[in-house]
Amino acid sequence: MIQQIEYIENVIDKLDSLIKELKTENEHLLRENKELKNLIDDRDLEILQLQESVNKESEDSEGEKTEITNRLQGLLGRVQSMVAEEKKENEEHHTGF
């Protein structure tokens, strides 16, 4: 009977040791999980900041493109006006008016 009690005590000691190891491993995994989650959150934030930066640059580029287009259209209008005036002057010289 004493042998059976000693056997049970040994089994309980082994179980206790195993439970402690599992708790330690679980704590380690929980810490690692938390660190990885924080890393993912940091990367998500970086991605959002990069997206905002790209959107802003795109908007700035679009604004600059619009400004350049407007200026070029203005220059084209001026050149067309100059050509029309010169053409009119040439016609007046050739017709005698």
Side-chain angles (χ1 to χ4, degrees):
M1 178 79 166
I2 291 186
Q3 285 181 334
Q4 289 178 338
I5 292 175
E6 287 177 351
Y7 176 77
I8 291 174
E9 285 178 338
N10 284 335
V11 169
I12 289 174
D13 287 343
K14 287 180 182 179
L15 283 174
D16 186 47
S17 175
L18 181 62
I19 289 172
K20 286 178 183 177
E21 287 177 23
L22 289 173
K23 282 183 178 181
T24 301
E25 184 178 347
N26 188 41
E27 289 171 1
H28 172 73
L29 290 173
L30 287 172
R31 276 193 308 275
E32 189 174 318
N33 185 32
K34 185 178 179 180
E35 289 172 4
L36 290 172
K37 185 181 179 316
N38 288 337
L39 183 65
I40 290 170
D41 290 343
D42 289 347
R43 294 304 173 256
D44 284 346
L45 182 59
E46 287 178 22
I47 289 169
L48 287 174
Q49 290 171 339
L50 288 172
Q51 287 174 335
E52 288 175 7
S53 177
V54 166
N55 288 340
K56 184 181 180 318
E57 287 179 19
S58 176
E59 289 172 5
D60 291 347
S61 177
E62 192 61 35
E64 187 175 322
K65 178 182 171 185
T66 300
E67 182 180 344
I68 290 171
T69 300
N70 292 339
R71 285 185 174 190
L72 287 174
Q73 287 176 342
L75 289 173
L76 178 62
R78 287 175 59 192
V79 169
Q80 287 174 339
S81 175
M82 290 170 58
V83 168
E85 284 179 22
E86 188 172 326
K87 185 177 181 182
K88 183 178 176 185
E89 288 176 6
N90 286 338
E91 288 176 0
E92 288 175 359
H93 287 303
H94 291 304
T95 59
F97 289 104

